[in-house]
Each structure stands twice: as structure tokens, then as C-alpha cells.
């Protein structure tokens, strides 16, 4: 790259920015008033370039290093620059001095950018005669790794300057987001502050850092927890930014806990203690994965989403840039607005309102944009539009609702008054819904759940009781139940079951054919078929293969399996608080759809073929049930069930 870049300030940010520019091929002049800072900067850059050379990422570290010259005299070198990036201490008086000099000494068409985090660009520009060429160019630490910058327009920044700075960002390999107005905290810090402050408030209310960070890491999928990041950045640094943006009009109450930590010198990794304790600087906090469901991450995302709505409504940033910033600048696996659309805008607004009720803080007032979205029914993926438009379709197959929600299908059993029992329509409806999801190539994952307090109470006994003989029963199995069992046995897409309540009999057994079973704490299971003169065909064949002899106790007594036992048995994979069941379901959709679709299909096929090994057992159990239908035991069981009395077995 031709041209000279002048980087003023050789501290944490300045040295990294200089390295990035030199790596891109620019000649760099690095200026600092402090000689030590300059020599430190050069040795840090040199160390980092050597590492890149060792890893074969660059050919010649020396050559890159040679492109960086240092100076302590800004006046002397400013005239040579084609592009300036100022990264000196965060003090308005110092920045003013520097910009005055730059304005006088730099070439006419040279862009003067500042890396300030908290000082308004307009304020910095006001000391220059050409404020149109002053612009914010905000990097993140470390700039060598975080390949995103915020470009911030001051009041007088010209379009030409914006164009030039966008182009420059591209030449140094940085993606950018536009911040159209000079607001405190710009874009990323505004969102980060909301999320972080909220997380601290939950600590004040009794949560542990590990609990919140576990949810952030293992459920949202961020590489580091919120408190880990802040400990790394430095609590004083974050506190100062917070205070600065607050002084400049950002509406936020500073949590007392933060002030207390500053007084106690708990500043994070650098003092060995912050939210966590560290034995050395590179020590990492231990965040147990099993804490992940103790805290719902939507609680801390919601204030962040509210901030995003404010940014969008005030035309400061566009939604695509906000999501890009959260992914590339903050390390989220997907954009924060995408999360909001996944969880549901109504959920976000509910969280904000309940926080406002609890704390009385104005910060939680839902932005009018969010209120309007809810009023207009723009709730996110669940109905086709939120911050973004999503492909959506809803079809009712009898009592079964099929919804395509962008990349997943939600299948809901809807006979709540009958505890979603499997009558003919339910069996057939489920089969049609699963087949529809199978055929839609955009559907990557299927979620199944039940409406009301039950998941599914099993076969509808009134239907079974109406059979007049073997033929009725056999017809029912062959024409109504078996098609679904066959569909699921060879299903090629991952199926996540959200067990919201009772799953008895066939309702329990269907879960043996699903892939990931997530149960509410309220869920219970049972295979009581023997008690009514029948047999649980899938549990006693496939179930025996999956769980071994442990299933016998439940098949031969019909006793209730509580959710803890179900987890121990291996029937349930994850147990979560009832109110977050759907949230966890959509989180799993993200995780499963991260797999290549062909891999997911191949894994499913392989697992289905293992299931095939018990095909003959399943056939035997199906035959057994046909043999039971004409017996007196069966008739007596059905009668007893309907009249709710104990059956009197004749037996043999
Ligand atoms: P720092 O304290 O590490 O470095 C500041 C440097 O400025 C020092 O080397 C100091 O000697 C030099 N300096 C002071 N007065 C000067 C002058 N008159 N002329 C030339 N050099 C002078 O600070 P840091 O963290 O690198 O921050 C620099 C700027 O970057 C600030 O505006 C800060 O808000 C911003 N920033 C910082 C981030 C961070 O994570 N540290 C992230 C993004 C922006």
C-alpha cells in the first residue's frame, strides 16, 4: 500500500494500530511525547511480527518493522502524512492541542481521524479550521485481532472524508460499521455497557459471576463470559468509560458494586482480583458448564436490544451494522438483533417492563420502536418479522400446528383439553407435519412440543376402548400409528423435543425416537400401558436397547418417572426451568444448525441404522399388542380406565 500513515500515541492502541497499518504495507510514522513508550511500542510490535513470521503468516518481520519510523516531534512529521490516526491519552485538552497542530501542519486532503472512545468527535474537531476532515475511527483492543472499526461522523464531517476513511479501513483489512451521529459511547460501547451493567445488577441481586458467565458462554456461545471480558479489560477502564458517557448524557445508573470494587482495588486480572481471582495474568476463570441454566441470558441481552432499538430509531446505525458490530467487534456468534428475533421481541419487552417495575429505573423503559413492533405483531422468527423478515409459514394438520420459522420447524400438539392425547387426527397430523418439515430444504431442525400442561398423555384411551376387535386395533396401528413411527425411525433431520409437562405412554415413547430431549422441571414420564392391559411397544423394544434393564422397572410397574430419574435414565438430556423451555429450544436450533446440513443428515442416517438393529424387537412388540387387543385383560383394562377404577385381572 502506498502512502504514509501517521499514528499519534504509541500506547496500548497506538502500537497495535501502527502494526496493522505496517502489515498492510503502509509506511508508518509513530509519534509519542514519551520516548519510553515509543521504544516499548517498537519492541512489542517486533515481538508480535516475529510470532506472525514463525506461524508463517508473514514472510519477513524485519521488512514490516522497517516500515515503521518513530518521532517525538509531531510538528516536524505531520506534513508527510496522507492519513492520520490519533490515539493519545483520553484527555480533551491533549487531543485539542494535537488536532490544532495536525490541522495546521497536515496536507490539505489528509484525513484526521481519532480513536477516542468517549470524547465527541465534534468537540475534537471544533479546534480545527477544517472540521470537515475530522472523523472518528474507533478500533478495538487488540486491533491486530479485532478486524472491525466504527466510523463516527462528527457534526461537520464531510461525505468525502467518510468515503476516504471507509476506503482506508478496507486497505488495512478492517471491516467497518457506520455511526451516523456523534453519540456518547458510539455503537458498540453503548450496547456493551447496557449488557454489562445489567449483568452486574444481577450480581447485586445474588447471582454469582460464574452463573451468568456460564449462560453467556454455553448458551449464547460467546468465547468469554461478560465478567471475564471486563476483568481482562480492567474494571477501572470500564468504569471510566461508563462515567464519561454518563456525564455526556447516556442515561445509566452506575452500579454500587462497581464503585466498591474500584475502592478495593479489585480491578481485574491486573490486580489478581476482579469478579474472579487470578493466580497469574494469563490464568482463566473456571466457569462450570452445569451452571448454564441457572440464569437466562435473555435477561442481560434485553437492555442491549433496547439500546439497539434506540440507535436504529434515531438513525444512528442500521440494524445490519449493529449485528455486524456484535459479531465482529464483540465476538457474539450471531448478531444481537438476530438473538432478539429468535427469543421474540415480546419476550424482550416483557423483560424490560418487569425490570422497570422492580427497579423503578427509567433506563428500562422499552424504546417506542420495540413497543410498536409488539403492537404490530412483529415478534421475530415466531411470526415472520421482527428486526428482520424471516420466512414463515403456519399450517394446521388437524390438532397439530406446523410452523416454519426461518430455519426450523415448530410442531405443536394442540389438544390441551385432552392432554394432547394421540387420537387418529393427532397421529396423522404429526406425520404430515414431520413430512412437511422433511421436504422443506430450508428447515434444518424440527422442534416438537405440546400446548398446555401436558406434552402428550399417550394414546387416546377412548379411541382404544372403542375397538370392537382385533381388526379395529390392527387397522389403527397399521394405518394411523405406524406411518408416524416409520417416518420418525428414518427421519433425516435432527428433532428436538421440548417436554413441557406429562409425557405418558405413547407420549413418552415418541421421545425415544427424537434426538435431543429437553424437559421442563415440571415434566413427568410414565409407560403405564401394562396397567390397562396393553404394552408400551417402543419402550419395551427400542427402550430396552437404549437404557438396558433400567427400563424394566418402569415398564413392569407403570410408575411415574420424574424428571430427575428421566435424566438419569438417559431419556432426557437437559432439564431446565419451565419458563425458559422454548428459549433453550431456540438456542439448540442455533447449535444444531451450525452443523453442515449434509453432516447432520449423515449422522441421522447412521443413528437410524443403529436403531434398525432392534427392528425385529419392535415388530415383535407390535405383534404382541395385536395379540392383546382381543383379550379380556385388554377389555377390562380399557373399561377400568374409563370408569377410573382398578381393573380386576382374570389372568392366566
Ligand atoms: P495509553 O495510555 O496506553 O496510551 C496513550 C499514549 O499517548 C501514551 O503512550 C502517551 O505517552 C501518549 N501521549 C500523551 N500525550 C501525548 C501527546 N501530547 N502527544 C503524543 N503522545 C501523547 O492509552 P490507550 O489505551 O492506547 O488509549 C488511547 C486512545 O485510544 C484513547 O483515546 C482511548 O480512549 C482510545 N481507545 C482505547 C481502547 C483501549 O482498549 N485501551 C480501545 C479503543 C479506543
Amino acid at each position: 500500500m502506498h502512502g504514509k500513515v501517521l499514528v499519534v500515541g504509541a500506547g496500548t492502541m497506538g502500537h497495535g494500530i501502527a502494526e496493522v497499518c505496517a502489515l498492510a504495507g503502509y509506511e508508518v510514522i509513530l509519534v509519542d511525547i514519551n520516548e519510553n513508550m515509543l521504544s516499548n511500542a517498537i519492541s512489542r510490535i517486533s515481538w508480535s511480527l516475529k510470532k506472525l513470521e514463525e506461524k508463517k503468516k508473514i514472510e519477513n518481520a524485519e521488512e514490516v518493522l522497517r516500515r515503521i519510523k518513530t518521532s517525538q516531534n509531531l510538528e516536524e512529521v505531520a506534513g508527510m502524512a496522507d492519513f492520520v490516526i490519533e490515539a493519545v491519552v483520553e484527555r480533551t485538552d491533549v487531543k485539542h492541542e494535537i488536532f490544532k497542530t495536525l490541522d495546521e501542519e497536515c496536507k490539505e486532503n489528509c484525513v484526521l481521524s481519532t480513536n477516542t472512545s468517549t470524547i465527541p468527535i465534534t468537540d475534537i474537531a471544533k479546534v480545527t479550521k477544517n472540521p470537515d476532515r475530522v472523523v472518528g475511527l474507533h478500533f478495538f483492543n487488540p486491533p491486530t485481532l479485532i478486524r472491525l472499526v466504527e466510523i463516527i461522523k462528527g457534526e461537520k464531517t464531510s461525505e468525502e472524508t467518510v468515503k476516504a476513511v471507509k476506503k482506508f479501513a478496507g486497505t488495512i483489512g478492517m471491516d467497518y460499521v457506520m455511526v451516523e451521529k456523534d453519540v456518547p459511547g458510539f455503537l458498540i460501547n453503548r450496547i456493551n455497557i447496557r449488557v454489562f451493567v445489567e449483568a452486574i445488577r444481577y450480581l447485586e441481586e445474588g447471582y454469582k459471576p460464574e452463573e451468568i458467565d456460564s449462560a453467556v458462554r454455553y448458551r449464547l456461545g460467546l468465547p468469554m463470559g461478560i465478567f471475564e471480558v471486563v476483568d481482562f479489560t480492567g474494571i477501572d477502564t470500564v468504569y471510566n468509560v461508563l462515567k464519561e458517557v454518563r456525564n455526556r448524557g447516556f442515561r445509566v445508573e452506575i452500579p454500587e458494586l462497581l464503585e466498591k470494587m474500584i475502592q478495593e482495588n479489585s480491578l481485574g486480572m491486573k490486580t489478581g482480583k476482579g469478579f474472579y481471582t487470578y493466580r497469574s495474568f494469563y490464568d482463566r476463570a473456571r466457569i462450570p458448564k452445569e451452571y448454564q441454566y441457572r440464569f437466562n441470558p435473555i435477561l442481560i441481552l434485553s437492555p442491549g436490544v433496547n439500546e439497539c432499538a434506540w440507535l436504529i430509531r434515531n438513525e444512528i446505525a442500521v440494524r445490519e451494522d449493529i449485528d455486524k458490530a456484535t459479531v465482529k467487534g464483540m465476538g457474539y456468534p450471531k448478531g444481537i438483533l438476530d438473538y432478539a428475533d429468535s427469543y421474540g421481541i415480546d419476550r424482550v419487552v416483557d423483560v424490560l417492563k418487569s425490570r422497570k417495575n422492580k427497579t423503578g429505573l427509567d433506563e428500562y423503559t422499552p424504546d417506542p420502536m420495540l413497543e410498536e413492533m409488539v403492537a404490530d405483531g412483529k415478534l421475530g422468527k415466531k411470526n415472520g418479522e421482527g428486526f428482520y423478515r424471516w420466512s414463515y409459514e403456519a399450517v394446521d394438520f388437524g390438532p397439530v400446528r406446523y410452523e416454519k420459522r426461518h430455519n426450523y420447524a415448530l410442531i405443536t400438539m394442540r389438544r390441551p383439553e385432552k392432554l394432547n392425547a394421540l387420537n387418529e387426527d393427532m397421529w396423522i397430523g404429526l406425520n404430515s407435519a414431520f413430512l412437511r418439515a422433511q421436504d422443506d430444504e430450508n428447515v434444518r431442525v424440527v422442534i416438537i412440543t405440546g400446548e398446555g400442561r401436558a406434552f402428550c398423555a399417550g394414546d387416546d384411551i377412548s379411541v382404544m376402548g372403542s375397538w370392537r376387535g382385533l381388526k379395529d386395533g390392527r387397522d389403527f396401528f397399521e394405518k394411523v400409528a405406524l406411518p408416524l413411527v416409520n417416518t420418525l425411525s428414518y427421519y433425516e433431520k435432527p428433532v428436538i423435543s421440548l417436554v413441557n409437562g406429562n409425557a405418558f405412554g405413547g407420549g413418552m415413547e415418541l421421545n425415544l425416537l427424537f434426538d435431543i430431549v429437553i424437559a421442563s422441571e415440571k415434566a413427568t414420564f410414565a409407560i403405564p400401558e401394562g396397567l390397562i392391559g396393553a404394552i408400551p411397544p417402543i419402550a419395551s423394544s427400542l427402550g430396552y436397547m437404549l437404557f438396558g434393564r433400567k427400563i424394566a422397572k418402569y415398564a413392569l410397574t407403570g410408575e411415574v418417572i420424574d424428571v430427575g430419574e428421566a435424566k438419569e435414565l438417559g431419556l432426557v438430556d437437559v432439564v431446565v426451568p419451565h419458563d425458559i423451555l422454548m428459549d433453550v429450544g431456540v438456542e439448540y436450533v442455533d447449535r444444531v444448525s451450525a452443523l453442515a446440513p449434509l453432516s447432520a443428515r449423515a449422522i441421522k442416517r447412521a443413528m437410524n441404522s443403529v436403531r434398525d438393529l432392534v427392528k425385529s424387537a419392535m415388530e415383535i412388540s407390535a405383534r404382541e399388542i395385536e395379540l392383546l387387543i382381543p383379550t379380556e385383560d385388554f377389555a377390562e383394562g380399557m373399561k377400568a380406565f374409563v370408569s377410573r377404577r382398578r381393573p380386576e385381572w382374570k389372568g392366566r
Side-chain angles (χ1 to χ4, degrees), residues 79-337:
M80 294 183 228
D82 298 302
F83 196 98
V84 175
I85 306 164
E86 170 277 315
V88 303
V89 278
E90 190 73 337
R91 273 179 41 196
T92 309
D93 56 337
V94 179
K95 301 223 191 237
H96 277 167
E97 273 312 305
I98 285 169
F99 272 81
K100 258 194 242 159
T101 309
L102 291 171
D103 194 37
E104 278 160 21
E105 304 295 334
C106 287
K107 289 186 261 189
E108 202 181 316
N109 59 353
C110 175
V111 169
L112 310 182
S113 75
T114 170
N115 185 42
T116 180
S117 296
T118 60
I119 306 170
I121 312 304
T122 312
D123 184 356
I124 294 175
K126 79 177 184 209
V127 298
T128 67
K129 294 199 187 74
N130 305 292
D132 58 308
R133 64 165 161 167
V134 178
V135 65
L137 182 59
H138 192 220
F139 291 79
F140 297 88
N141 188 18
T144 41
L145 284 183
I146 305 183
R147 310 301 286 183
L148 183 91
V149 287
E150 290 174 319
I151 299 177
I152 306 112
K153 271 197 207 163
E155 264 168 35
K156 304 240 164 94
T157 309
S158 69
E159 279 314 313
E160 215 183 323
T161 301
V162 171
K163 227 166 105 186
V165 78
K166 282 181 180 171
K167 192 166 159 215
F168 175 77
T171 64
I172 57 168
M174 287 285 178
D175 202 346
Y176 64 83
V177 290
M178 270 314 298
V179 184
E180 296 290 340
K181 292 178 197 164
D182 198 0
V183 293
F186 312 136
L187 190 166
I188 291 191
N189 276 341
R190 286 185 83 96
I191 302 169
N192 265 341
I193 287 174
R194 291 287 178 221
V195 174
F196 169 59
V197 165
E198 191 62 0
I200 294 210
R201 291 197 182 133
Y202 278 103
L203 290 192
E204 292 181 327
E205 289 171 27
Y207 281 94
K208 293 197 189 83
E210 292 88 340
E211 292 172 328
I212 297 176
D213 277 353
S214 182
V216 167
R217 260 170 64 170
Y218 300 113
R219 288 175 59 188
L220 295 182
L222 267 69
M224 279 170 94
I226 307 284
F227 298 113
E228 286 183 280
V229 172
V230 178
D231 270 356
F232 175 75
T233 312
I235 292 172
D236 47 343
T237 309
V238 172
Y239 178 73
N240 290 338
V241 171
L242 198 53
K243 250 185 29 198
E244 270 313 307
V245 295
R246 186 174 190 274
N247 288 343
R248 293 182 197 279
F250 186 72
R251 205 169 51 178
V252 64
E253 289 302 316
I254 299 185
E256 275 172 27
L257 177 62
L258 205 55
E259 296 188 318
K260 200 168 140 243
M261 290 175 78
I262 302 270
Q263 279 156 16
E264 290 170 355
N265 201 36
S266 295
L267 304 182
M269 273 182 163
K270 61 186 167 194
T271 59
K273 189 169 178 357
F275 293 100
Y276 301 103
T277 44
Y278 302 90
R279 282 169 295 194
S280 69
F281 194 80
Y282 289 104
D283 196 13
R284 279 203 77 173
R286 273 152 291 276
I287 318 266
K289 195 176 170 196
E290 71 259 27
Y291 290 177
Q292 61 181 307
Y293 296 110
R294 293 191 186 177
F295 181 82
N296 197 2
I298 192 181
L299 297 177
I300 50 174
L301 285 184
S302 295
V305 173
N306 204 26
E307 192 58 45
C308 296
W310 185 88
L311 287 164
I312 297 170
R313 188 171 53 82
N314 289 290
E315 297 180 347
I316 292 157
V318 295
R319 55 195 181 172
E320 290 79 6
D321 272 6
I322 288 176
D323 274 353
K324 190 201 280 182
T326 40
V327 174
K328 291 200 166 177
M330 295 149 77
Y332 284 45
K334 68 175 190 177
I336 188 167
L337 301 177

Side-chain angles (χ1 to χ4, degrees), residues 364-396:
Y364 292 110
T365 308
D367 189 87
M369 179 182 180
L370 294 181
E371 295 271 30
E372 204 179 302
M373 285 167 82
V374 173
D376 293 349
K378 293 180 181 167
L379 305 182
K381 291 181 186 171
K382 66 173 98 175
N383 63 0
E385 188 173 355
F387 283 105
Y388 300 98
R389 277 180 181 281
W390 305 97
S391 64
Y392 178 82
E393 126 182 272
V395 190
D396 285 319

